[in-house]
Amino acid sequence: MSYIEEILDLVKRRNPAEYEFHQAVDEVLQSLEPVMEKHPEYREARILERLVEPERVLMFRVPWLSDKGDFEVNRGFRIQFNSAIGPYKGGLRFHPTVNLGIMKFLAFEQIFKNSLTTLAMGGGKGGSDFDPKGKSNNEVMRFCQSFMTELCRHIGPDTDVPAGDIGVGAREIGFMYGQYKRIMNEFTGVLTGKALRWGGSLIRPEATGYGCVYLAQEMLKTRKETFEGKVCVVSGSGNVAQYTVKKLLELGAKPVTLSDSNGFVYDSKGIDLKKLEFAMELKNIRRGRIKEYADKFGAEYHDGKRPWSIPCKAAFPSATQNEIDEKDAETLVKNGCTVVGEGANMPTTPEGIDVFLKANILYGPGKAANAGGVATSGLEMSQNAMRLSWPAEEVDKRLKQIMVSIHDAAAKAAADYGFPGNYVMGANIAGFVKVAEAMMDQGHV
Ligand code: NDP
C-alpha cells in the first residue's frame, strides 16, 4: 500500500459512512503523490495526517417553534477544518440532505479553494438539515435565530466568518446577523454576503457565477477561443446559476437551460436578460419551481431530469454535488462540449472527471472555478475591517484579477509537475503547497 493509500484507508476507517468526505479527500490526495515525492519533509512532519483531521467539529441541537406552535428540532454543524493561513471561512448550507460527511467534504474542499484565492482565509463550512423550502418567513427567522444562538460563541471576525451556500441567501444571512449582533453586542464583519445597507460588498451576490465564467474564459484563451455564440448548458437556478447565465450573456454566449431539484427547462431560443429576470424573481422572491419558466416562455420542461443531454459547447454545473456522473460526462463530450466550469462544489463524480480528463477538454474543477464567491467574501472582510466600501467596478476588477491568478497558478503547478492542462492536479497542488508550507512554519499544531 502506498503512503497516500494508507492515509485514505485511515480516513475511511476513522470516518465510516462519510462518503462525500472520502471522495473529496481521495481526489485531493491522489493529486499529491508527486508533491510528496518532491517534499519528503511533509511526510516527516505528518502534514497529510494532520490535514485530513479537522481542527474542530461542532455539532449542535437547533430547537425552534413552527407557526402552528409545534416543537421542531434540527441539527446544526460548523466544521473548523484548517486555520493555517487565516481565520476559518466558508458558507452555511441549509438543506435536508446535510449531514456530517457532506459538511466535512465541503470544509475540506474549502481549505484549498481559499488558499488558491491568494487571500488569507482558512477552511470551514457549516449548516443544518433544516429545509427552508415551504417555511414561512417567520419560521425561517426563528430557525436562524436559534441556529445563531449556539453558533455565535464559536465564530468571530478574526476566528471564523461564515457566509451563504445552498438555502442560505441574503434573507437568512440577515436574520443570523441580527441575532449575532444582539447577543454579542458588536457590529463586526462576522458574516459575509450581508446586504449592502449594513456592510455587504457590491458584486458579492454575482461573484461565484461571474468568477466561474471568468475562469472558463481564461481556459478558453489557452485555445484562442471566446464565448461568442457558444451554446451553454447551466444546471441549478439559484445564486450561482443566475449570475453564471448573466455573465455568459454579457460575453455573447447562448445559455439554454436552468434546473432545480424537480427538473430542468430547455429554451432552444436562448435565455435572454428578460427571461433571466423572470427566473430570478421566481426563485429569489416567489420561491417557486423552475417549471413556471417553461409554462411562461413555451420552453421544454423535463421532469426529474438533469440538463446534460442537451448538446452544448460549455457546461456549468451550478446546483449540487455529484450531479454529473460517468454517463452524463460521456454524453457531454460526445455532443461536443469542450469546456466545463464547476460553479457547484464537487458536481462531477470521480468517474465523470476521468471522462473529461481523458477527452482532454477544458475542465475547471470547483475548487478553482467557484472560488470567486469566497474571494469576494474576503474582499467584503477587508472592506468591513477598513469600514469603507469599494465601488462595483473596483470589486469586479479585483475578482477578475483573482480568477486570472487562480487560473495561472493552477496551470503553472500542473505544468511544473508534468501534467500540463490538467486543472485538477494544478488546483489541488497549488492550493495544498501554500497550506502545507504554513503548517510547516507553525510547528506541530
Ligand atoms: P442556491 O440555494 O441559491 O441554489 C441551489 C440550486 O440548486 C437551486 O436551483 C436548487 O433547486 C438546486 N439544488 C440544490 N440541491 C439540489 C439537489 N440535491 N438536486 C438538484 N438540484 C438541487 O445555492 P447556490 O447557488 O448558492 O449554490 C449552488 C452550488 O454552488 C452549491 O454546490 C454550492 O456549494 C456552490 N457554491 C456556492 C457559492 C455561493 O457563493 N453561493 C460559492 C461556491 C460554491 P431548488 O430550488 O429546487 O432547491
Side-chain angles (χ1 to χ4, degrees):
M1 210 187 262
S2 74
Y3 172 53
I4 297 284
E5 281 165 356
E6 273 174 36
I7 306 281
L8 288 172
D9 188 56
L10 171 83
V11 167
K12 285 179 186 157
R13 276 189 288 114
R14 216 180 234 172
N15 309 281
E18 295 177 9
Y19 306 113
E20 288 85 359
F21 180 50
H22 303 167
Q23 184 183 335
V25 174
D26 195 317
E27 192 228 89
V28 172
L29 262 51
Q30 299 292 0
S31 308
L32 299 182
E33 204 116 38
V35 186
M36 299 308 286
E37 263 171 41
K38 194 168 163 191
H39 293 278
E41 71 275 18
Y42 291 167
R43 183 168 180 176
E44 220 168 279
R46 307 196 75 173
I47 293 288
L48 293 188
E49 287 87 335
R50 285 193 271 152
L51 193 70
V52 297
E53 196 57 34
E55 289 173 16
R56 194 170 299 108
V57 172
L58 305 158
M59 198 160 95
F60 50 93
R61 181 202 306 155
V62 189
W64 57 280
L65 270 182
S66 74
D67 287 346
K68 283 192 291 186
D70 291 335
F71 294 99
E72 306 282 348
V73 184
N74 284 94
R75 182 174 280 182
F77 300 90
R78 186 71 186 165
I79 316 294
Q80 298 179 333
F81 218 120
N82 191 299
S83 61
I85 61 167
Y88 309 107
K89 180 90 197 88
L92 296 170
R93 176 178 291 190
F94 291 170
H95 196 269
T97 56
V98 160
N99 59 37
L100 185 57
I102 288 183
M103 293 283 97
K104 281 170 68 177
F105 118 63
L106 288 163
F108 186 73
E109 290 270 300
Q110 200 80 42
I111 303 170
F112 310 99
K113 183 190 307 188
N114 293 4
S115 164
L116 281 170
T117 64
T118 68
L119 305 176
M121 299 180 290
K125 197 85 187 189
S128 172
D129 58 1
F130 172 75
D131 187 359
K133 242 184 251 142
K135 305 288 190 302
S136 71
N137 260 328
N138 281 339
E139 288 177 323
V140 171
M141 180 175 73
R142 283 195 295 275
F143 172 81
C144 287
Q145 290 176 339
S146 180
F147 183 84
M148 186 50 86
T149 301
E150 173 59 33
L151 188 67
C152 69
R153 74 191 81 206
H154 307 290
I155 60 175
D158 296 316
T159 309
D160 183 353
V161 183
D165 191 74
I166 292 177
V168 177
R171 173 181 65 168
E172 290 76 15
I173 292 288
F175 291 151
M176 286 191 276
Y177 193 79
Q179 185 74 347
Y180 179 88
K181 192 164 55 70
R182 186 177 174 205
I183 299 174
M184 307 304 277
N185 196 26
E186 54 179 45
F187 196 110
T188 54
V190 69
L191 296 175
T192 58
K194 300 185 288 297
L196 274 181
R197 292 180 285 278
W198 42 275
S201 172
L202 284 158
I203 306 293
R204 176 60 189 92
E206 292 87 346
T208 308
Y210 279 17
C212 187
V213 178
Y214 290 151
L215 187 108
Q217 205 182 9
E218 288 308 300
M219 294 197 298
L220 276 174
K221 275 190 199 160
T222 66
R223 297 190 182 171
K224 304 202 174 5
E225 285 183 54
T226 69
F227 270 114
E228 191 63 46
K230 283 199 166 51
V231 171
C232 299
V233 161
V234 180
S235 69
S237 50
N239 172 270
V240 180
Q242 293 167 10
Y243 288 104
T244 295
V245 169
K246 187 148 184 232
K247 185 52 74 177
L248 286 171
L249 287 173
E250 272 177 37
L251 297 180
K254 186 182 175 190
V256 293
T257 63
L258 283 171
S259 74
D260 63 18
S261 41
N262 292 86
F264 79 90
V265 292
Y266 171 45
D267 188 340
S268 59
K269 294 195 204 85
I271 300 165
D272 60 20
L273 259 185
K274 259 191 99 181
K275 293 173 181 173
L276 175 64
E277 269 166 30
F278 171 85
M280 288 174 81
E281 201 257 343
L282 169 70
K283 281 294 172 182
N284 306 349
I285 316 277
R286 288 192 286 124
R287 297 177 193 278
R289 303 283 81 210
I290 199 65
K291 182 177 182 299
E292 268 191 54
Y293 177 106
D295 298 342
K296 173 137 179 105
F297 300 113
E300 287 177 24
Y301 177 69
H302 297 259
D303 195 42
K305 297 229 166 67
R306 290 168 177 160
W308 314 124
S309 59
I310 303 298
C312 65
K313 282 281 172 206
F316 291 90
S318 311
T320 193
Q321 63 273 3
N322 292 329
E323 54 171 314
I324 297 182
D325 62 18
E326 187 175 15
K327 236 176 115 227
D328 298 325
E330 281 167 357
T331 306
L332 281 165
V333 170
K334 188 166 66 78
N335 286 341
C337 175
T338 54
V339 194
V340 176
E342 291 189 337
N345 284 306
M346 209 166 77
T348 311
T349 63
E351 299 77 19
I353 295 175
D354 280 347
V355 172
F356 291 146
L357 293 180
K358 279 197 187 113
N360 197 27
I361 66 161
L362 297 166
Y363 168 63
K367 256 181 229 95
N370 68 40
V374 71
T376 309
S377 278
L379 300 178
E380 182 174 330
M381 287 164 75
S382 304
Q383 294 170 78
N384 290 164
M386 292 188 288
R387 296 195 191 282
L388 51 80
S389 25
W390 294 324
E393 298 73 35
E394 167 84 20
V395 183
D396 195 30
K397 198 172 109 202
R398 286 176 186 262
L399 166 65
K400 197 163 192 180
Q401 275 166 356
I402 290 172
M403 297 316 296
V404 170
S405 85
I406 290 175
H407 171 272
D408 294 350
K412 182 173 184 312
D416 285 352
Y417 280 88
F419 298 89
N422 184 331
Y423 291 93
V424 178
M425 292 292 283
N428 285 338
I429 292 172
F432 167 76
V433 170
K434 182 173 167 192
V435 174
E437 286 296 319
M439 289 171 77
M440 294 292 287
D441 292 343
Q442 291 167 16
H444 195 73
V445 289

